[in-house]
Amino acid sequence: MRRQVPGAFDEVYARYRETIWRFLRRLSGREGVAEDLFQDTWLAVARNAHRLREDTQLLPWLFTIARNKHRNGVRFRLFDRKRREQASAEPAAGHAEVEADADARRRAAKVAGAFARLPEVYREVLLLFFEEGLTTESVARILELREDAVRKRLSRARSELARLLELPEREGK
Amino acid sequence: MIDRDPITSAIASLDTPPLEPRFAARVAARARLELRARARPPARGSSFFLGMGARLVPALLTLAALAQTAATGRTAAKIYARVEAAPSP
């Protein structure tokens, strides 16, 4: 991509578009916002591909752009506060797919609602580490934090999610 | 290996609507346009004028210096001529 080899962008896009979509969709919690961020992210990728270094790790770089687009959006600042207020005030209405088992539906909705009530900084670190399986080193690079700060944030995020889900906390990690 | 504790399971259970294919294709097309715009070479005219300017500027500066020197020389010659013509004290 850095050398603008034909087809390189298409290959990267095909490989990572679902990953970036999943991250932005879960982070933002809203389809319309996620679509705007997704487009902004890939346009930024196209504009800045020439700045890639030989040793740049592609996936963390993509996540960095996506995460920064989410954080920097003016709409995000208004949206995140409103989203959390709404999530607290209303019964949790998740986007879980319909399942035959009513209990499973309730559990899925509870998880989605609890996740939606987390602050953005907790959601992003949980998604990057647990969902995308990145190392704390990669997460630290994306979030521009020290590694120990990432571990602390992960610990707090886990505790907060456990509290919202009424789960027993686990030590470690 | 990701530890399958309740938190991990909870996060993994979050449902995400799939990426709509037509939307994905539109985004890809726009991104390719951006790539092509960056890859386009600069207009030939602009590099021609830049090249001309790079050669002209030093030449103009040299001419200006020569003109200034010549003017100074003529002034000096006039002064010298007057001094020569003036009666000696």
Side-chain angles (χ1 to χ4, degrees):
Chain A
M1 260 197 355
R2 184 174 59 88
R3 285 176 278 124
Q4 295 168 349
V5 170
F9 175 83
D10 288 343
E11 191 181 318
V12 169
Y13 187 71
R15 194 184 302 178
Y16 295 119
R17 65 184 186 192
E18 298 285 348
T19 303
I20 298 300
W21 166 252
R22 183 176 61 234
F23 175 69
L24 287 172
R25 181 62 179 81
R26 289 181 177 177
L27 190 60
S28 64
R30 293 265 276 265
E31 187 97 356
V33 173
E35 284 180 350
D36 287 347
L37 293 173
F38 181 83
Q39 178 168 270
D40 288 348
T41 296
W42 287 103
L43 290 179
V45 167
R47 281 185 212 117
N48 294 290
H50 65 288
R51 291 191 191 152
L52 281 168
R53 295 197 308 261
E54 287 287 349
D55 61 346
T56 303
Q57 290 182 325
L58 201 49
L59 188 54
W61 181 69
L62 294 171
F63 274 128
T64 302
I65 295 175
R67 182 249 178 186
N68 285 340
K69 287 294 174 191
H70 182 256
R71 275 186 81 76
N72 295 337
V74 172
R75 260 180 303 173
F76 153 75
R77 291 193 182 91
L78 291 174
F79 166 70
D80 196 58
R81 196 180 70 236
K82 280 186 187 166
R83 184 196 52 77
R84 293 185 61 203
E85 283 166 5
Q86 275 176 345
S88 300
E90 294 167 8
H95 297 280
E97 50 183 4
V98 174
E99 295 178 52
D101 187 353
D103 278 345
R105 275 203 302 276
R106 273 195 291 273
R107 272 198 304 272
K110 187 178 179 185
V111 169
F115 194 79
R117 285 199 288 277
L118 289 174
E120 180 251 357
V121 291
Y122 286 177
R123 295 200 312 283
E124 64 184 11
V125 74
L126 289 173
L127 286 172
L128 288 171
F129 186 78
F130 288 105
E131 180 62 24
E132 304 302 335
L134 298 177
T135 61
T136 48
E137 188 194 344
S138 293
V139 174
R141 205 174 308 139
I142 293 165
L143 302 183
E144 295 174 321
L145 295 171
R146 291 193 319 271
E147 231 179 301
D148 58 332
V150 167
R151 284 193 213 100
K152 276 184 201 159
R153 191 175 285 186
L154 267 170
S155 173
R156 287 192 208 118
R158 282 177 56 98
S159 296
E160 182 61 13
L161 186 56
R163 186 187 70 78
L164 289 168
L165 290 172
E166 295 160 1
L167 292 172
E169 285 188 38
R170 262 177 65 124
E171 293 301 316
K173 285 253 185 240
Chain B
M1 192 175 78
I2 294 176
D3 207 3
R4 280 302 188 187
D5 65 14
I7 295 295
T8 313
S9 300
I11 294 168
S13 76
L14 288 168
D15 187 47
T16 306
L19 179 61
E20 208 272 315
R22 279 179 299 184
F23 168 70
R26 280 200 304 275
V27 170
R30 282 180 197 139
R32 280 187 217 106
L33 280 175
E34 281 288 336
L35 277 170
R36 279 201 281 275
R38 288 208 63 86
R40 213 178 294 131
R44 288 177 62 182
S46 64
S47 55
F48 169 75
F49 285 117
L50 273 172
M52 285 297 293
R55 284 188 276 275
L56 272 175
V57 168
L60 287 170
L61 285 171
T62 307
L63 277 173
L66 284 172
Q68 184 65 32
T69 307
T72 306
R74 279 194 295 277
T75 305
K78 279 182 199 167
I79 293 170
Y80 186 69
R82 278 195 197 151
V83 165
E84 284 283 296
S88 42

